Amino acid sequence: TKITRHAITWREGYLTLLCRSLRNRALVVLSAIALLLGSALLVPWIGSEFLPASDEGELRVNGEMDVGMRLSLVDQQTRRLEAATLREVPEAMSWIVNVGASGWDPNAGSRGSISLRLMPATQRDRSNLQIADDLREKLVGTIPGMDVRVRAPSGQNVLNRVLPGGG
C-alpha cells in the first residue's frame, strides 16, 4: 500500500542520514555548535522574557524618610501620600496603609507603604503598569522629606503559584 511505501521510504531516509552522521561525527558536532552560536546571536533581535508581564491588579507605593524620623511625622507624610495616590488612582477598589515598623528591620520606623487593589483589568482603561508610571510621574518629589517609589507587581503571584517555596 501507499502508506507502507512511505514508511519504508522514511525509514530508509532516516537510516541513510544516521549512517552519514555517524561517519562524519566531527561535522555533525561542528554544525550543532554553529547553529547554537548562530541562534545566540539572534537574541538581541528576537528578545526574551522569563515570565511575561501580567496585570495582577495591584499597585505598591512606598515612602521612606530619614532613619530616626518621628513616627508621627512619618504617619503625617504617609497620609499625604495616601491622599495624593487615591486622587490619581480612581481605579483603586481597596487599599491598605502601613506606617512604621513591620518585621525585624530596625529602619522600618521611617517608612510608610500603600498596597492598592485595583478594579478588574476589563473595567479599566489603564494597565497596572501604566497606572504605576503615571503615579510615579505625579508623586516623586511631591511629599517633602519622603523618597517615594511606585511599582506594579507583574508576574510575581504567578511565579509564587508555579514554583514551590515562593520563587
Side-chain angles (χ1 to χ4, degrees):
T1 66
K2 192 173 188 179
I3 295 175
T4 308
R5 276 188 299 217
H6 285 298
I8 291 171
T9 306
W10 276 101
R11 184 188 301 167
E12 289 172 357
Y14 173 73
L15 289 174
T16 303
L17 180 64
L18 186 59
C19 288
R20 286 183 182 169
S21 297
L22 289 173
R23 277 187 297 225
N24 300 300
R25 292 178 188 162
L27 181 62
V28 170
V29 169
L30 289 174
S31 298
I33 291 171
L35 286 171
L36 179 65
L37 292 176
S39 63
L41 293 174
L42 294 175
V43 169
W45 290 280
I46 296 172
S48 65
E49 260 185 284
F50 174 66
L51 195 62
S54 63
D55 188 337
E56 296 182 13
E58 294 179 10
L59 209 62
R60 304 246 167 72
V61 181
N62 297 307
E64 187 169 348
M65 299 186 76
D66 290 335
V67 175
M69 191 65 63
R70 286 189 342 263
L71 186 59
S72 61
L73 184 57
V74 176
D75 181 48
Q76 176 186 339
Q77 296 303 77
T78 303
R79 288 175 191 266
R80 289 178 70 180
L81 181 63
E82 176 187 14
T85 298
L86 295 178
R87 195 170 41 249
E88 297 297 330
V89 185
E91 298 94 339
M93 288 187 357
S94 60
W95 58 96
I96 297 171
V97 179
N98 291 310
V99 178
S102 59
W104 296 98
D105 186 358
N107 300 327
S110 60
R111 296 184 189 138
S113 66
I114 306 166
S115 297
L116 294 119
R117 184 78 187 143
L118 305 173
M119 58 181 60
T122 56
Q123 298 175 12
R124 293 185 263 128
D125 293 329
R126 304 183 291 174
S127 71
N128 65 339
L129 294 172
Q130 291 169 322
I131 294 170
D133 289 342
D134 292 346
L135 191 57
R136 189 176 302 111
E137 195 174 295
K138 299 245 170 71
L139 289 182
V140 172
T142 61
I143 309 295
M146 186 171 266
D147 179 30
V148 177
R149 289 182 308 281
V150 180
R151 85 181 171 90
S154 58
Q156 189 63 39
N157 284 344
V158 174
L159 191 61
N160 288 339
R161 288 184 206 121
V162 173
L163 295 178

